Amino acid sequence: MARELVLCYRKLIDNSSKGRWERLLYDAAYEEYHMQVQYFDTEGKWDRYSDLLLAVNGAEKLPFLVSGAINGYLQQLNGRVPDVVNNVGKYFLRFSQYQFEIIDAHRSKQSTFRIAVSFFTDPLLWLDTISNYLLLQPLGDENCLTHLFELRPYVNIHSVKEC
Amino acid sequence: MFALAAPLTTQSCAKEESTDAVDGGKEVVADGSCVVSPSETEGPFPTKNPASYVRSDIRKGDGVGANMNAKITVVNANNNCAALEGAVVDVWHCDVNGDYSEYGGTQMQSTNYQSVHWFRGRQVTDSNGLVTFQTIFPGWYQGRATHIHVHIYNSAGRSLLVTQIAFQDSLSTTVNTTGSAYGYTKGMSRYTYNAYDSVFSDSVAKEMSTVTGSLAAGFEMSITIRVSV
C-alpha cells in the first residue's frame, strides 16, 4: 500500500558554514538577533540565549522575529530543498513550509551562533523500498516519475499518511 | 556498493581490473555510509537580501482595516531636539482582531516561506528624522489600549529607545464602534482605556499621537519621538 510522506530536512548552519547562501543567511540572522534581543533584554543582563529564554517571558518569540531577516534567502531557493539529492545526484524535493530555530546564541560572540532551518517537503508517495532506497514519487506527478532516495543524517520522515 | 571510476567488466576480468592501475595504482575505498553528492549546475547565485521588515507598506494585503499613514519623526533630545537622520525605526502592531503576526509563538510550528511578517516594518529616518509606514489603524486586545510598538536603533543596530504610540480614547471608540465595514467588529466592551492601561497610565501625554482623517478617507498619524544619542 502506498503511503504519503512528508520529509523534513533540518539544515544546521553555524560559523563553520562555508557556502555563500549559508553565510549570507547566517550573517543576516545574527545581525537581526543582535537587534531583536535588545527588546527582551534592555539592560544587557543575559549574554546567552539559553539563559534569556529561562529568564524573560516572550523571548521564545525570537526565532520568529529573527526569521524576518532570512525570508528573502529562503525565497531565493524557489521552493527547492537544498543539499538533498536523489540517487543520480539531482535535487528533487520541493518545500513551501519551513521552521527556523536558534540553537545557540550569545550577545557578543557571533562564533557561537548556531541556527537551523527545517524544510518540510511537499507530500511524496512512498511506493516501495529497494535495498537502502526509498522509491518516492511527488504527489500528483502525472508522468509517474519516481526518485530513488537514501535517507541521510538530518533527514527525517516527518509524517506518514496511509492512502 | 558502487564501482568507482572503473569500466564495466565481466566478472571473470574483475581480478585483473582491480590490480590494473587506473589512477596511479591507488585504491579507492568506498564509504558505505555516504550518499550521492549533488551534481547539478549551481544557481541562481545567492545575493544579499535585506530583512523582510524593510518596507514602508506593512499591510497584510487582505484589504481589511482602515488605511493609516504613520509618520514618525525621531529627534535627538541631546541636540536641542534636532532631527535624527539614519536612525532605524521598527514598528509593529496587531490587526483588527487584536492578533500579531506570529505563528503561535512556539518552536513547533512551521510557516510558509513566502509569508511576510505583516504589520511589522523597518525604515531608516531621512534628513528630517522622518519615516512613514503605510498600515491600518490597529485593533485592540484585552488588557491594552490601542497602541503601536516602536523600537528605535542607531545605524549600527544599537537600541536607543523602546516605546509605544498611543491613540485618543475617542478615536479608538469611533473606529471600533462604527468601523465594522472595515473589519473592526469587536466594539469597546472590555476595552482598556488609556488611563487604565499599564503602559500609558502614567505617561500617555508623551506617547500620544496626532491623528487626522476618517475611516472612509484613511487616517494620517504623526508623532515625534525623542531619543538621547
Side-chain angles (χ1 to χ4, degrees):
Chain A
M1 177 186 292
R3 290 173 174 170
E4 189 180 310
L5 304 182
V6 171
L7 301 179
C8 172
Y9 168 46
R10 184 166 177 255
K11 182 178 174 66
L12 302 181
I13 303 175
D14 60 22
N15 202 41
S16 68
S17 297
K18 297 281 193 292
R20 178 174 166 83
W21 185 84
E22 287 83 351
R23 290 307 310 181
L24 287 169
L25 185 146
Y26 180 77
D27 290 342
Y30 184 73
E31 187 178 317
E32 190 65 36
Y33 175 81
H34 202 259
M35 291 178 74
Q36 298 279 356
V37 76
Q38 297 173 93
Y39 177 76
F40 298 100
D41 184 14
T42 51
E43 296 172 16
K45 283 184 181 174
W46 294 278
D47 286 334
R48 294 171 57 194
Y49 174 60
S50 54
D51 292 337
L52 183 72
L53 277 180
L54 290 174
V56 179
N57 191 26
E60 70 277 3
K61 294 174 183 168
L62 275 164
F64 165 76
L65 294 170
V66 173
S67 73
I70 67 155
N71 272 7
Y73 295 106
L74 295 176
Q75 287 167 13
Q76 288 181 13
L77 297 176
N78 285 321
R80 188 182 76 177
V81 176
D83 305 339
V84 182
V85 293
N86 64 15
N87 198 40
V88 292
K90 290 197 168 187
Y91 300 106
F92 73 111
L93 294 172
R94 309 285 306 172
F95 80 100
S96 58
Q97 295 292 116
Y98 80 99
Q99 179 200 349
F100 175 76
E101 293 171 74
I102 298 169
I103 299 169
D104 197 10
H106 188 283
R107 175 180 286 275
S108 57
K109 295 177 186 167
Q110 181 170 352
S111 61
T112 65
F113 191 55
R114 294 185 79 215
I115 54 179
V117 180
S118 291
F119 299 90
F120 298 91
T121 68
D122 294 345
L124 301 147
L125 285 179
W126 177 13
L127 302 176
D128 205 347
T129 300
I130 301 171
S131 184
N132 292 330
Y133 301 93
L134 306 181
L135 182 66
L136 301 175
Q137 183 176 70
L139 194 65
D141 188 301
E142 292 177 354
N143 298 315
C144 300
L145 297 179
T146 54
H147 301 274
L148 277 175
F149 167 66
E150 185 174 21
L151 285 172
R152 46 170 280 175
Y154 294 100
V155 174
N156 186 34
I157 297 176
H158 177 68
S159 66
V160 179
K161 188 166 82 176
E162 300 282 351
C163 41
Chain B
M1 292 303 293
F2 315 114
L4 295 177
L8 287 173
T9 60
T10 61
Q11 190 62 36
S12 62
C13 300
K15 192 173 181 198
E16 285 80 0
E17 284 294 328
S18 65
T19 54
D20 203 9
V22 174
D23 183 18
K26 294 176 184 172
E27 283 191 87
V28 178
V29 179
D31 181 351
S33 67
C34 285
V35 294
V36 174
S37 299
S39 52
E40 284 197 80
T41 309
E42 292 285 337
F45 202 59
T47 52
K48 192 168 170 57
N49 208 307
S52 61
Y53 302 120
V54 181
R55 61 191 196 281
S56 57
D57 187 345
I58 62 172
R59 290 173 296 181
K60 257 187 191 179
D62 60 3
V64 177
N67 286 327
M68 182 171 80
N69 280 330
K71 293 180 179 295
I72 300 170
T73 301
V74 181
V75 299
N76 185 0
N78 281 350
N79 186 23
N80 296 320
C81 285
L84 184 62
E85 183 179 6
V88 179
V89 180
D90 275 9
V91 298
W92 66 102
H93 66 80
C94 61
D95 65 8
V96 295
N97 299 314
D99 295 323
Y100 289 99
S101 56
E102 293 162 15
Y103 45 101
T106 75
Q107 297 207 8
M108 298 307 291
Q109 289 172 288
S110 65
T111 192
N112 190 294
Y113 75 92
Q114 292 180 317
S115 65
V116 296
H117 293 34
W118 39 265
F119 299 144
R120 295 176 185 271
R122 175 174 298 161
Q123 292 281 289
V124 177
T125 56
D126 64 14
S127 58
N128 297 314
L130 178 69
V131 291
T132 302
F133 294 95
Q134 286 175 272
T135 186
I136 65 161
F137 189 88
W140 63 273
Y141 52 90
Q142 197 172 338
R144 288 300 317 277
T146 307
H147 62 280
I148 293 177
H149 293 270
V150 183
H151 194 167
I152 300 173
Y153 310 84
N154 69 8
S155 58
R158 186 172 64 81
S159 178
L160 299 176
L161 182 72
V162 175
T163 187
Q164 297 185 25
I165 298 171
F167 295 84
Q168 298 291 353
D169 289 333
S170 58
L171 178 60
S172 294
T173 302
T174 299
V175 170
N176 287 290
T177 56
T178 67
S180 60
Y182 300 88
Y184 302 93
T185 57
K186 293 177 75 168
M188 292 295 275
S189 175
R190 309 186 81 173
Y191 182 82
T192 302
Y193 292 91
N194 287 324
Y196 302 97
D197 185 277
S198 58
V199 174
F200 294 141
S201 56
D202 61 349
S203 59
V204 71
K206 291 188 176 68
E207 292 148 324
M208 183 55 66
S209 57
T210 301
V211 181
T212 59
S214 65
L215 282 162
F219 295 107
E220 287 278 330
M221 186 219 82
S222 59
I223 190 168
T224 297
I225 297 177
R226 297 159 192 81
V227 299
S228 299
V229 182

